[in-house]
Amino acid sequence: MSRTSGRGKLIVISGPSGSGKNTLIRELLRRSKWPLVLSVSATTRPPRPGEKDGVDYFFMTDEQFRRLADQGGFLEYARYVGHWYGTPREWVERQLEDGKWVLLEIDVQGALQIKQKHPDAVLIFVRTSSLQEYERRLRQRGTESEQDIKRRLEQAKRELEYLPYYDYVVTNDELEQAVNQIEGILDQLGGGQACTQS
Ligand code: ADP
Ligand code: 5GP
């Protein structure tokens, strides 16, 4: 496959845990200047307090996940800090056919799989300017165990090595500035207009 199918666009957002991907995406969706939709991933990680099945993730057992992967149900999938995560393929393809701009909040391994299948996907990497800030934010978020925070911080260093593969790097030190920067990127993609054939 060499081109994004349909008329929509694929926009990948990656970055270390705690970089603020989810916060930025919620704000972009709230501003709603573009035909943006967020893909809901499947995962084998347990839900955090307040997370809802089908809204934040499709929470699955390892066996359910493996079965779906074997059936070709994922556009990409990867293992991250002890759990599986994957992008449901059919839903994304339907949205693209429908002209939507589909946001994928996925890790660096998944992002590379997407770029290979869809070279016109736009890859955005979100980071902060210091490693200590990821730790501060993860502790403040308070959703992971101490061991998980450590594993995610180790993973952050590895993820930063993937920066050169990304089309854009956004430093999320100040939230408003980072949202505006991504807005600028999205405006460049389509000038806020209905999507053209990609
Ligand atoms: P990710 O999805 O990348 O793991 P989150 O969006 O969950 O990150 O953000 C992690 C924590 O950092 C949250 O508590 C969030 O409120 C906070 N946060 C996000 N962006 C900023 C920012 N620019 N400045 C300070 N705190 C932030
Ligand atoms: P979290 O457990 O914090 O929700 O997510 C952990 C990591 O998994 C984040 O880097 C997030 O972007 C990534 N992730 C979430 N969904 C997917 C997915 O469908 N595919 C891949 N490859 N990574 C995902």
Side-chain angles (χ1 to χ4, degrees):
M1 209 182 309
S2 61
R3 293 161 73 84
T4 302
S5 50
R7 299 174 298 118
K9 296 178 193 304
L10 268 180
I11 300 153
V12 172
I13 307 230
S14 307
S17 192
S19 59
K21 300 178 293 297
N22 207 264
T23 309
L24 288 166
I25 286 170
R26 300 285 155 205
E27 183 56 27
L28 289 168
L29 291 171
R30 204 182 62 75
R31 295 191 183 187
S32 176
K33 267 173 70 185
W34 315 270
L36 273 186
V37 289
L38 175 63
S39 162
V40 178
S41 296
T43 185
T44 61
R45 106 156 144 66
R48 293 173 184 148
E51 282 187 332
K52 291 195 177 66
D53 187 41
V55 176
D56 300 286
Y57 279 106
F58 294 104
F59 295 100
M60 292 184 178
T61 62
D62 274 27
E63 196 191 328
Q64 287 169 324
F65 192 98
R66 198 172 331 112
R67 205 177 311 131
L68 197 51
D70 288 347
Q71 289 166 359
F74 292 122
L75 196 56
E76 61 72 36
Y77 63 97
R79 197 157 172 88
Y80 175 94
V81 186
H83 299 290
W84 290 103
Y85 294 80
T87 302
R89 190 171 53 77
E90 271 181 27
W91 185 87
V92 171
E93 287 177 351
R94 231 179 308 126
Q95 299 300 314
L96 290 172
E97 291 297 335
D98 218 22
K100 295 290 194 326
W101 295 17
V102 186
L103 280 175
L104 305 181
E105 190 210 315
I106 61 176
D107 89 317
V108 292
Q109 306 164 77
L112 293 192
Q113 294 174 45
I114 293 290
K115 194 70 179 177
Q116 205 167 27
K117 287 184 185 159
H118 295 280
D120 48 359
V122 176
L123 269 51
I124 302 173
F125 192 98
V126 179
R127 61 177 301 183
T128 71
S129 50
S130 85
L131 277 174
Q132 289 81 358
E133 182 64 8
Y134 301 119
E135 183 167 3
R136 194 192 68 76
R137 289 187 191 172
L138 286 179
R139 289 193 196 289
Q140 172 203 288
R141 192 171 72 188
T143 48
E144 267 73 33
S145 67
E146 189 57 30
Q147 191 198 10
D148 267 357
I149 290 179
K150 286 210 175 86
R151 292 176 76 187
R152 282 170 182 252
L153 292 172
E154 279 163 24
Q155 184 73 9
K157 291 181 199 147
R158 288 191 281 271
E159 288 172 297
L160 288 164
E161 292 169 13
Y162 286 74
L163 267 177
Y165 296 104
Y166 282 74
D167 300 304
Y168 299 95
V169 179
V170 171
T171 301
N172 176 28
D173 286 344
E174 208 281 304
L175 186 65
E176 183 69 15
Q177 272 178 22
V179 178
N180 290 341
Q181 205 181 332
I182 301 181
E183 259 196 346
I185 295 167
L186 297 182
D187 279 341
Q188 265 182 40
L189 289 185
Q193 304 295 310
C195 324
T196 52
Q197 185 81 33
S198 51

